[in-house]
Amino acid sequence: MSEEKIYAVPAAIAAKAHINAEQYAAMYQRSIDDPAGFWGDQAEQFVTWSKKWDSVMDYSFKADDLHIKWFDGGKLNVSYNCLDRHLATRGDQVAIIWEGDNPEVDRKITYRELHEEVCRLANVFKSRGVKKGDRVCIYLPMIPEAAVAMLACTRIGAVHSIVFGGFSPDSLRDRVLDSECKLVITSDESVRGGRHIPLKKNADTAMLECPNVETVIVVRRTGGPVEWIDGRDIWYDESIAAAATECAPEEMDAEDPLFILYTSGSTGKPKGALHSTGGYLVYAAMTHKYTFDYQEGEIYWCTADVGWVTGHTYIVYGPLANGATSIMFEGIPNYPDMSRFWDVVDKHQVNIFYTAPTAIRSLMRAGEEPVKKTSRQSLRILGSVGEPINPEAWEWYHRVVGDERCPIVDTWWQTETGGHLITPLPGATALKPGSATLPFFGVVPALVDPAEGTLIEGAGEGALVIAQPWPGQMRTVYGDHQRYVDTYFKQYPGYYFTGDGARRDADGYYWITGRIDDVLNVSGHRLGTAEIESALVLHKDVAEAAVVGYPHDLKGQGIYAYVTPMAGIEPTDALKKELVAMVRNEIGPIAIVDIIQWAPSLPKTRSGKIMRRILRKIAANEIDSLGDTSTLADPTVVNDLIDNRANQ
Ligand code: 6R9
């Protein structure tokens, strides 16, 4: 049993770690007993404030009085903390190493250079009428200009909303409209695995229905062809060249909004998770330092995209607040070959490496040779994020990539949480493969019996909730506070509901079992079943659709769609292809339906609710454990679905 396996903290790691096991225990205890004292100290240590806060925390998790405030009354600027305050001591240190898709192309940007470019772009934003509180959409590939744009927003107090470059024009449009962005920054094209993707063209299509966007700034990435709208479109390089190199940082309140990031939920369209300034920055910096045991001068590499929360917190804000050197990688793990990650590790002498289980699993398939032929001696700490890491992948990562020398930090957290909530600390926590282990400072996880709503004490399994606030927590759903309350604070009164299930073992270690709501996690990307269903029913031949996840070797979860065609429509393979293309076009290339099963009808309760529990079981081929089907309006529907199960 993998659970029996325990990896002690390696002596070499413990010797110089920021936090050892005793320190973790003592600090954790204080963070719970005296949260205001604890967080006040952390806020002093990690962030430079232009004015100290009046109160450390003020909150209520009660649905009818929901509010969460951290460091209220405090004033700060995020770009000042990530740039200006480092200039005197590390102006010439590299802040960002950019590794291009092409292995021969890279670029190093010092803190001083980054500071200057951020100021220039902030001045361009201002000249285009962007003011404090305005929203700016960033639709860029993994190029340094993405980090520059984020920091330039924070410089002037604008709120950024990054849309992942893999999202379709429709997804981009919906997000730009929802947050009423007035400026969009994009590039001519993006490059991944040698392929060019026309970002500006996507943006142009989206902008046809975004009348409030006054300016589109275009970064020249490839020099590929673009269409141009005079007056609206401006080139990034030309405009920053003409801008002044100084821009005073806007003084922001701790609770002023910092960014919006759209994320999928159980129902409806993706929601804009809104993070605020002070608490988020404290939490980003602190978790970056302690979870990765980041030591001064180390080279740190998180392979995520800035379009996801991991890229926000652990490529840009956390590392730069701590004055680290952060790698930004434009490419993919298997281009030009399966050694790419490890070649980059050797090339830049990476010490801390943070990636997703889906990448590990796909590399594992190619065998050990592409890894073992590289040195990787610089590596000290490995990290995992995005989905549960299966023990086999964990062991391979540990043995083959880390040569059994590097602790793996399996970090459980969410877009909503801003930073790590359950994670080992390299110098403090003995590891169990597949477990995210123990809570970070100030985090109080609890398990609730989903049927009874009662708390589970000791070892057990249930819905994972959090009992106390932490500074990095999202504050609201942009433009829809009620949705925030309803989604996270209604189901289990007094708790933040994560949407995940978890098991706690006898040592108090947490094992995340995955989403227990209608959110899929496909290759670490979050997708709502409702979004995919809406895309499917847009097709004129589709009457109804129900989407569930099923276990997939590489992706973690695959997308399984039950589709009911319109009366008289012949269900064909050609129609299946059209539907797959339809979803991809509506949402983007991350949404590829793996399996479509034609369903003459769907299993529904008498009140018309689709019983997804049953659909999940059929998709997972667990037909022996369907559970109670007696509440179905027509139980025979289930037999038909089982008999016609699509081949996997
Ligand atoms: C950071 C991020 C959040 C969901 C989360 C959970 C899953 C993330 C995990 C993990 C098990 C881990 N998840 N990390 N599950 N172990 N270490 O991924 O944010 O895109 O919002 O996804 O991802 O299900 O609820 P986000």
Short mmCIF file of all heavy atoms in Angstrom, two decimals, residues 316-335:
data_model
loop_
_atom_site.label_atom_id
_atom_site.label_comp_id
_atom_site.label_asym_id
_atom_site.label_seq_id
_atom_site.Cartn_x
_atom_site.Cartn_y
_atom_site.Cartn_z
N VAL A 316 4.79 34.87 -11.15
CA VAL A 316 5.00 36.32 -11.08
C VAL A 316 5.01 36.85 -9.64
O VAL A 316 6.07 37.24 -9.13
CB VAL A 316 3.94 37.05 -11.95
CG1 VAL A 316 4.13 38.56 -11.86
CG2 VAL A 316 4.06 36.60 -13.41
N TYR A 317 3.86 36.86 -8.98
CA TYR A 317 3.79 37.65 -7.74
C TYR A 317 4.62 37.11 -6.59
O TYR A 317 5.36 37.86 -5.95
CB TYR A 317 2.33 37.85 -7.32
CG TYR A 317 1.59 38.76 -8.28
CD1 TYR A 317 0.47 38.33 -8.97
CD2 TYR A 317 2.06 40.05 -8.53
CE1 TYR A 317 -0.19 39.16 -9.87
CE2 TYR A 317 1.42 40.89 -9.43
CZ TYR A 317 0.29 40.44 -10.09
OH TYR A 317 -0.34 41.26 -10.98
N GLY A 318 4.51 35.80 -6.30
CA GLY A 318 5.27 35.25 -5.17
C GLY A 318 6.78 35.38 -5.39
O GLY A 318 7.50 35.99 -4.58
N PRO A 319 7.30 34.82 -6.50
CA PRO A 319 8.75 34.87 -6.74
C PRO A 319 9.29 36.30 -6.81
O PRO A 319 10.34 36.60 -6.23
CB PRO A 319 8.91 34.16 -8.09
CG PRO A 319 7.71 33.30 -8.24
CD PRO A 319 6.61 33.96 -7.49
N LEU A 320 8.59 37.19 -7.50
CA LEU A 320 9.14 38.54 -7.65
C LEU A 320 9.05 39.32 -6.34
O LEU A 320 9.95 40.10 -6.02
CB LEU A 320 8.46 39.30 -8.80
CG LEU A 320 8.65 38.68 -10.20
CD1 LEU A 320 8.03 39.58 -11.26
CD2 LEU A 320 10.11 38.40 -10.54
N ALA A 321 8.01 39.09 -5.56
CA ALA A 321 7.96 39.75 -4.25
C ALA A 321 9.15 39.32 -3.40
O ALA A 321 9.70 40.10 -2.62
CB ALA A 321 6.65 39.42 -3.53
N ASN A 322 9.58 38.07 -3.58
CA ASN A 322 10.72 37.57 -2.81
C ASN A 322 12.07 37.84 -3.47
O ASN A 322 13.10 37.39 -2.97
CB ASN A 322 10.56 36.05 -2.59
CG ASN A 322 9.44 35.73 -1.60
OD1 ASN A 322 9.11 36.56 -0.74
ND2 ASN A 322 8.85 34.56 -1.72
N GLY A 323 12.07 38.53 -4.60
CA GLY A 323 13.34 38.85 -5.26
C GLY A 323 14.01 37.63 -5.88
O GLY A 323 15.24 37.57 -6.00
N ALA A 324 13.22 36.67 -6.30
CA ALA A 324 13.77 35.44 -6.88
C ALA A 324 14.02 35.62 -8.38
O ALA A 324 13.62 36.61 -8.98
CB ALA A 324 12.80 34.29 -6.66
N THR A 325 14.68 34.61 -8.97
CA THR A 325 14.80 34.53 -10.42
C THR A 325 13.81 33.49 -10.89
O THR A 325 13.91 32.31 -10.52
CB THR A 325 16.23 34.13 -10.82
OG1 THR A 325 17.13 35.14 -10.36
CG2 THR A 325 16.35 33.99 -12.34
N SER A 326 12.83 33.92 -11.68
CA SER A 326 11.72 33.07 -12.07
C SER A 326 11.79 32.78 -13.57
O SER A 326 11.96 33.70 -14.37
CB SER A 326 10.40 33.78 -11.72
OG SER A 326 9.29 33.00 -12.02
N ILE A 327 11.67 31.51 -13.91
CA ILE A 327 11.71 31.15 -15.34
C ILE A 327 10.31 31.18 -15.92
O ILE A 327 9.36 30.73 -15.29
CB ILE A 327 12.32 29.74 -15.53
CG1 ILE A 327 13.77 29.76 -15.05
CG2 ILE A 327 12.23 29.31 -16.99
CD1 ILE A 327 14.55 28.51 -15.39
N MET A 328 10.24 31.73 -17.12
CA MET A 328 8.97 31.73 -17.86
C MET A 328 9.21 30.94 -19.13
O MET A 328 10.06 31.29 -19.93
CB MET A 328 8.66 33.17 -18.25
CG MET A 328 7.34 33.64 -17.82
SD MET A 328 7.17 35.36 -18.28
CE MET A 328 5.54 35.25 -18.89
N PHE A 329 8.46 29.87 -19.29
CA PHE A 329 8.69 28.93 -20.41
C PHE A 329 7.56 29.02 -21.42
O PHE A 329 6.40 28.82 -21.08
CB PHE A 329 8.82 27.52 -19.84
CG PHE A 329 9.00 26.45 -20.87
CD1 PHE A 329 9.90 26.60 -21.93
CD2 PHE A 329 8.28 25.26 -20.78
CE1 PHE A 329 10.06 25.60 -22.88
CE2 PHE A 329 8.45 24.25 -21.72
CZ PHE A 329 9.33 24.42 -22.77
N GLU A 330 7.93 29.30 -22.65
CA GLU A 330 6.91 29.47 -23.69
C GLU A 330 6.46 28.13 -24.28
O GLU A 330 5.38 28.03 -24.85
CB GLU A 330 7.51 30.32 -24.81
CG GLU A 330 6.53 30.69 -25.91
CD GLU A 330 7.20 31.45 -27.05
OE1 GLU A 330 8.34 31.10 -27.42
OE2 GLU A 330 6.59 32.40 -27.55
N GLY A 331 7.27 27.10 -24.12
CA GLY A 331 7.06 25.87 -24.90
C GLY A 331 6.25 24.80 -24.19
O GLY A 331 5.47 25.07 -23.28
N ILE A 332 6.44 23.58 -24.63
CA ILE A 332 5.72 22.42 -24.10
C ILE A 332 6.74 21.32 -23.75
O ILE A 332 7.86 21.34 -24.24
CB ILE A 332 4.68 21.90 -25.13
CG1 ILE A 332 5.35 21.64 -26.50
CG2 ILE A 332 3.55 22.90 -25.29
CD1 ILE A 332 4.40 21.05 -27.53
N PRO A 333 6.32 20.35 -22.91
CA PRO A 333 7.29 19.37 -22.39
C PRO A 333 7.91 18.46 -23.44
O PRO A 333 8.99 17.93 -23.23
CB PRO A 333 6.46 18.52 -21.42
CG PRO A 333 5.19 19.23 -21.21
CD PRO A 333 5.00 20.22 -22.29
N ASN A 334 7.24 18.28 -24.58
CA ASN A 334 7.73 17.28 -25.55
C ASN A 334 8.24 17.91 -26.84
O ASN A 334 8.25 17.27 -27.88
CB ASN A 334 6.64 16.26 -25.84
CG ASN A 334 5.36 16.92 -26.34
OD1 ASN A 334 5.29 18.14 -26.42
ND2 ASN A 334 4.37 16.12 -26.66
N TYR A 335 8.64 19.16 -26.79
CA TYR A 335 9.18 19.80 -27.99
C TYR A 335 10.50 20.47 -27.67
O TYR A 335 10.56 21.21 -26.69
CB TYR A 335 8.19 20.84 -28.52
CG TYR A 335 8.70 21.59 -29.74
CD1 TYR A 335 8.56 21.05 -31.01
CD2 TYR A 335 9.36 22.81 -29.60
CE1 TYR A 335 9.04 21.73 -32.12
CE2 TYR A 335 9.84 23.48 -30.71
CZ TYR A 335 9.68 22.94 -31.96
OH TYR A 335 10.16 23.59 -33.04
#
